[in-house]
Amino acid sequence: MKSVVPDFSEFPPGTVTEYTTLVCLACIFDIFTKQIGLAPRSAYSEIKRYSPTIEEMTSRKAARPFFDSDEKHPRCPYCNAAKRWHARLDTHCIEGGKTTDAPRRKLLKAIEKKGDQFSVTEVKSDRRRAFFDWLDTLRISLDFSDSAWLLAATKALLERKEPKQNWDEVFEGSPFIRPSARMEEGWERAGTSLFLSPPLYNESLLVQYLVSRSHELGGRTLAGRLTLIELIRRMRKTHEVLKADQFEILEGLIDEVAGSGNVKLYFIVDRREFLDKVKSVYAAYA
Ligand SMILES: [Zn+2]
């Protein structure tokens, strides 16, 4: 039986976040048989039903029986089990909203037919949390050793703000990004430059500041390296700043860029490899 891989290509960029984690089945069987005391057969049927929590799937710091590894032949960090005992769990998180409603319904309908191969969890969240998840994913995807990351981070923000626009086209030839005092809002590609209205330009600086602040290049932006105070001074010119404390100001500015209110998140866990591996591992046990 050949299963169709779910297709996320119809979703606008920036609306789907991906997470991957490895799970050690030797650890899981160990927990179920030794710690809980189940017979292998019962352990097997329990494990097949087992669905990890959203925290377990998306946490950047994995805990037993989950772990992360980029190695080709990783070993379980908890029990040293070899690769054949590991299963990969891929999770996609779709941000609910007008631009994702139609492709999401189509996708969920298609995977509903796949039974327990996929699990779908709906979570109520807020725009701020969704924004930080997005920022986290963006940070991982950027290569800070290459200054092109500044362009990539700006493009990612624009994709998030205007998902219907073809940004690959706008960014073709890696334009110079400049603020334009002539524009009150929006952007314009002219020749080798991409002009951004000052508010949009400053929002791109804020995103660059936030993704790079935990990095050794901390606070690097298109406008050079900025301290929090310098960033705020710039943003005061384009955004309303009500608070006095600089950290409260930063929070307020983040809220403006992230948007406020609730958002629904749809987590889709691909359990196919997990189910396959559970079966073969059980065969080795029984
Ligand atoms: Zn293990």
Side-chain angles (χ1 to χ4, degrees):
M1 231 174 53
K2 200 172 167 283
S3 39
V4 181
V5 179
D7 182 10
F8 290 91
S9 64
E10 282 182 40
F11 291 91
T15 57
V16 178
T17 309
E18 286 180 54
Y19 305 90
T20 280
T21 186
L22 292 165
V23 59
C24 175
L25 296 169
C27 279
I28 298 194
F29 267 96
D30 192 66
I31 293 166
F32 277 89
T33 56
K34 295 203 181 114
Q35 294 182 22
I36 304 175
L38 292 180
R41 171 84 223 163
S42 324
Y44 173 58
S45 47
E46 282 300 319
I47 294 165
K48 266 199 308 184
R49 275 204 295 270
Y50 172 76
S51 197
T53 64
I54 299 303
E55 281 71 29
E56 286 171 327
M57 301 301 312
T58 59
S59 167
R60 299 294 178 198
K61 283 181 284 219
R64 193 183 183 215
F66 300 94
F67 65 100
D68 298 315
S69 174
D70 296 327
E71 282 171 53
K72 215 172 164 199
H73 297 284
R75 290 251 162 197
C76 168
Y78 317 107
C79 74
N80 205 35
K83 199 182 170 184
R84 66 174 191 281
W85 297 87
H86 313 157
R88 213 178 109 126
L89 286 161
D90 289 323
T91 303
H92 284 84
C93 173
I94 303 167
E95 218 177 294
K98 262 183 276 171
T99 58
T100 55
D101 275 350
R104 174 179 52 79
R105 277 195 207 104
K106 195 173 146 193
L107 182 81
L108 293 185
K109 213 169 162 188
I111 65 173
E112 207 174 86
K113 295 184 187 130
K114 303 272 171 204
D116 60 0
Q117 294 184 354
F118 295 91
S119 74
V120 179
T121 313
E122 284 181 37
V123 178
K124 266 193 199 141
S125 187
D126 54 66
R127 300 242 167 246
R128 190 187 169 84
R129 204 200 127 184
F131 176 74
F132 276 100
D133 286 345
W134 170 79
L135 215 55
D136 235 14
T137 308
L138 177 63
R139 182 185 299 121
I140 292 165
S141 73
L142 296 173
D143 174 8
F144 291 98
S145 65
D146 180 349
S147 63
W149 77 265
L150 288 161
L151 209 64
T154 307
K155 184 169 175 243
L157 172 69
L158 292 167
E159 284 173 344
R160 188 180 167 83
K161 290 186 79 91
E162 290 181 34
K164 285 198 172 134
Q165 181 65 42
N166 183 344
W167 291 106
D168 287 338
E169 224 169 78
V170 176
F171 277 79
E172 208 172 279
S174 303
F176 293 104
I177 298 173
R178 307 174 199 277
S180 166
R182 288 183 298 114
M183 291 193 269
E184 267 178 45
E185 54 176 13
W187 53 273
E188 188 190 358
R189 173 79 201 248
T192 55
S193 296
L194 172 61
F195 293 101
L196 303 182
S197 63
L200 200 51
Y201 183 78
N202 283 348
E203 287 182 14
S204 89
L205 300 186
L206 175 68
V207 166
Q208 290 150 14
Y209 175 86
L210 292 171
V211 286
S212 71
R213 68 175 167 178
S214 60
H215 191 265
E216 59 177 309
L217 297 169
R220 255 196 71 195
T221 70
L222 280 168
R225 195 165 182 162
L226 298 180
T227 62
L228 180 55
I229 294 173
E230 287 162 344
L231 177 74
I232 289 170
R233 193 177 297 143
R234 279 177 161 270
M235 294 207 66
R236 265 182 195 283
K237 293 177 188 159
T238 53
H239 291 71
E240 198 175 353
V241 172
L242 299 169
K243 303 276 199 231
D245 174 80
Q246 54 174 300
F247 291 102
E248 283 177 355
I249 293 172
L250 180 66
E251 296 298 295
L253 290 169
I254 289 170
D255 282 347
E256 268 191 59
V257 178
S260 55
N262 293 325
V263 63
K264 232 179 194 176
L265 303 176
Y266 300 83
F267 289 88
I268 298 168
V269 182
D270 186 339
R271 305 176 74 242
R272 289 176 295 181
E273 185 177 320
F274 176 76
L275 292 173
D276 273 359
K277 285 279 182 87
V278 171
K279 207 168 171 183
S280 61
V281 165
Y282 171 62
Y285 253 95

